[in-house]
Amino acid sequence: MVKERPFLEDGSQFGVSRTQFRRLRKAEKRELMLHWFHANYEDPAENTPFENAEGGYQYIWGGPYEARDELYAMFGDIVPEGLIDDVTQEIEQHGTFDWAPVQKGDDYEPVDQDENVPANLDIYLDEPSQRYGSPEELDARKQALAAIERLEKVIDKRRSIGIGHNQPPEPVEEGPDEPEVREAVQELKLEFKTQSPDIATIKKWARRLRDVLVVAGKWAGKKLDKAADSAMAVIGTGAGGYVLSQYVPPIHHAFETIINWLEIAAKTIF
């Protein structure tokens, strides 16, 4: 089973639960919101590759993200919008409006087919568990939807960059299939926004994300030297290389949040 994580990590042993956060004073909430944001997002100048020929920063681990959107996704149902606006203004006070995700350990490593096979969806039944509809499940549902919407932004960002490009990519073996990912993202987003997401439907479209991760792992194993991942992501190796570097980390993150939701929402065969 996936170990449950607290609503907020604050450096303590147990973190901060949603209930504890609700009971805090406004100033304490503000401080924790700032801490959470800067623990998860950074100025792209810190680690994001920059390439003039490709139009600037290359958000190979997802992004760019807007502070208000991310704060609202995390705290929108438990704090007033005015507090979100105040924290956003403080975050953006030095002129940074586009943010990149902070890399944490191996979170953003390419998926390795031999060592890190994506979780098997077949262990989850289509029947809801006793925890379906609980605050814990609703929070996991919210996190999954936020990750899916972030993946959608990565897709939309790449499409906008590609429009009008007058240099056709070199022919290479394909990486992840963009239309397949886009369709799955749209269907998952719609289902997670319903009042009672259907487990079978979520599994159906999550399976497509899993298939992409498996293919990407095999493709990466043949095409990439891990020591040169960042350089490849900037200069690319044609269409497939660019899609791989852009999509795999946010797909992996979205898939993991779906697995976390299924662990709570669905009965399992064990």
Side-chain angles (χ1 to χ4, degrees):
M1 300 291 286
V2 175
K3 184 178 179 180
E4 296 177 14
R5 299 179 64 179
F7 175 63
L8 288 177
E9 303 278 3
D10 65 346
S12 65
Q13 181 180 359
F14 301 107
V16 178
S17 69
R18 288 174 66 88
T19 300
Q20 291 171 324
F21 183 82
R22 289 178 187 272
R23 294 172 178 171
L24 295 175
R25 295 191 299 271
K26 180 179 178 180
E28 293 172 321
K29 290 178 181 177
R30 180 191 182 96
E31 182 179 350
L32 278 174
M33 289 168 72
L34 284 167
H35 174 79
W36 172 83
F37 185 84
H38 289 298
N40 289 279
Y41 301 94
E42 66 183 12
D43 188 325
E46 295 292 330
N47 293 295
T48 302
F50 185 92
E51 178 64 29
N52 263 327
E54 294 292 341
Y57 287 112
Q58 303 300 297
Y59 291 88
I60 62 174
W61 299 292
Y65 300 124
E66 296 181 11
R68 192 183 191 284
D69 289 347
E70 302 311 307
L71 289 167
Y72 191 84
M74 182 68 178
F75 302 100
D77 63 338
I78 55 176
V79 301
E81 282 198 43
L83 181 54
I84 291 176
D85 290 338
D86 288 347
V87 175
T88 299
Q89 289 178 12
E90 183 165 346
I91 289 170
E92 296 178 343
Q93 64 179 321
H94 299 300
T96 300
F97 301 98
D98 292 334
W99 299 84
V102 171
Q103 297 181 59
K104 300 176 181 179
D106 295 331
D107 287 351
Y108 293 91
E109 285 292 316
V111 177
D112 186 294
Q113 176 64 9
D114 294 326
E115 300 176 4
N116 190 21
V117 178
N120 190 340
L121 291 160
D122 292 336
I123 69 170
Y124 304 104
L125 303 177
D126 295 343
E127 304 172 44
S129 71
Q130 292 183 345
R131 292 190 288 172
Y132 190 96
S134 67
E136 179 187 16
E137 183 268 316
L138 294 174
D139 183 58
R141 186 190 306 181
K142 176 182 172 183
Q143 295 303 316
L145 178 59
I148 291 163
E149 289 178 335
R150 289 168 187 163
L151 174 56
E152 182 180 43
K153 285 184 179 181
V154 173
I155 294 172
D156 290 343
K157 180 72 173 178
R158 181 179 181 273
R159 291 184 72 192
S160 66
I161 291 173
I163 293 173
H165 194 281
N166 58 8
Q167 295 293 330
E170 299 173 10
V172 298
E173 182 180 351
E174 281 192 353
D177 190 324
E178 180 180 336
E180 296 278 321
V181 175
R182 189 183 305 122
E183 182 182 18
V185 166
Q186 288 298 320
E187 295 296 336
L188 286 165
K189 178 180 172 182
L190 288 173
E191 192 60 36
F192 269 117
K193 283 189 172 182
T194 63
Q195 186 173 358
S196 300
D198 179 65
I199 293 171
T201 301
I202 296 296
K203 285 168 55 182
K204 170 186 174 181
W205 296 107
R207 194 168 276 113
R208 183 169 291 184
L209 296 186
R210 184 185 187 278
D211 289 345
V212 169
L213 291 175
V214 171
V215 171
K218 293 178 179 178
W219 184 86
K222 291 185 289 184
K223 292 290 182 180
L224 306 181
D225 178 343
K226 287 187 178 182
D229 279 350
S230 295
M232 186 287 303
V234 175
I235 63 175
T237 50
Y242 188 75
V243 173
L244 179 68
S245 64
Q246 282 282 336
Y247 285 177
V248 170
I251 289 175
H252 188 265
H253 177 60
F255 183 76
E256 287 299 312
T257 62
I258 292 170
I259 292 297
N260 290 341
W261 177 76
L262 287 169
E263 286 283 346
I264 298 168
K267 291 182 180 179
T268 68
I269 62 176
F270 301 113

